[in-house]
Amino acid sequence: MTEAMVRNKAGMASVKDMPILQDGPPPGGFAPIRYARRIPTKGPSSIAIFLTTFGAFTWGMYQVGKGNKIRRAIKEEKFAARRAILPMLQAEEDERFVKEWKKALEEEARIMKNVPGWKVGESVYNSGRWMPPATGELRPDVW
């Protein structure tokens, strides 16, 4: 578009003869200038993060509780099985103890046969109560 068309003056004319045309804002004004710092919100809000974390924690604790119940049931089953076989194991240990005790008395009688007044199997302690010997006394394989 030529200057003559803009100023409504046909042909070539001196700039001094042309009317002054001042620039102005467009009708309705200019768009507002954005001068404030606007950081776009990216990601979930803090309440969404909190609720997600709380939900994950709650679900995890539920799973821990379920696992504890299962673990407790397995442990109780194991203890019940041990309680069931305990009399048999005690009977086996008593039988082994009696055999070892007889061997120990025979050995004591063999060693102390020449000692006058020695009574085989009699306790050297005067407590009046029978006490089984310490485990290592009849089980040298343990100590």
Side-chain angles (χ1 to χ4, degrees):
M1 202 186 273
T2 64
E3 187 71 27
M5 291 175 73
V6 171
R7 297 183 186 249
N8 286 331
K9 193 122 171 137
M12 294 278 296
S14 172
V15 177
K16 293 178 185 174
D17 295 338
M18 290 186 187
I20 297 173
L21 178 65
Q22 184 168 352
D23 288 337
F30 289 108
I33 298 172
R34 201 187 100 183
Y35 60 90
R37 184 169 182 220
R38 290 188 210 153
I39 300 172
T41 55
K42 291 185 180 178
S45 66
S46 59
I47 190 75
I49 292 171
F50 174 77
L51 290 175
T52 303
T53 305
F54 181 76
F57 177 77
T58 304
W59 182 79
M61 290 294 37
Y62 172 72
Q63 293 297 326
V64 167
K66 275 180 31 178
N68 285 343
K69 285 181 182 179
I70 292 169
R71 212 170 12 263
R72 198 175 307 124
I74 290 171
K75 190 185 281 187
E76 180 56 37
E77 182 181 352
K78 183 169 77 172
F79 286 155
R82 288 180 180 178
R83 281 191 302 270
I85 66 170
L86 187 63
M88 185 185 72
L89 294 176
Q90 186 64 51
E92 286 179 354
E93 177 59 23
D94 290 347
E95 185 180 1
R96 187 207 60 79
F97 177 79
V98 169
K99 286 180 186 175
E100 292 293 325
W101 185 249
K102 285 182 182 177
K103 283 184 193 174
L105 290 179
E106 288 171 2
E107 182 72 12
E108 182 182 349
R110 187 186 62 77
I111 293 172
M112 303 299 280
K113 65 183 173 187
N114 297 328
V115 177
W118 183 264
K119 295 180 184 173
V120 176
E122 186 174 293
S123 176
V124 294
Y125 303 107
N126 297 321
S127 67
R129 258 176 58 180
W130 182 84
M131 298 287 288
T135 306
E137 196 171 319
L138 293 179
R139 294 198 65 178
D141 57 311
V142 173
W143 49 275

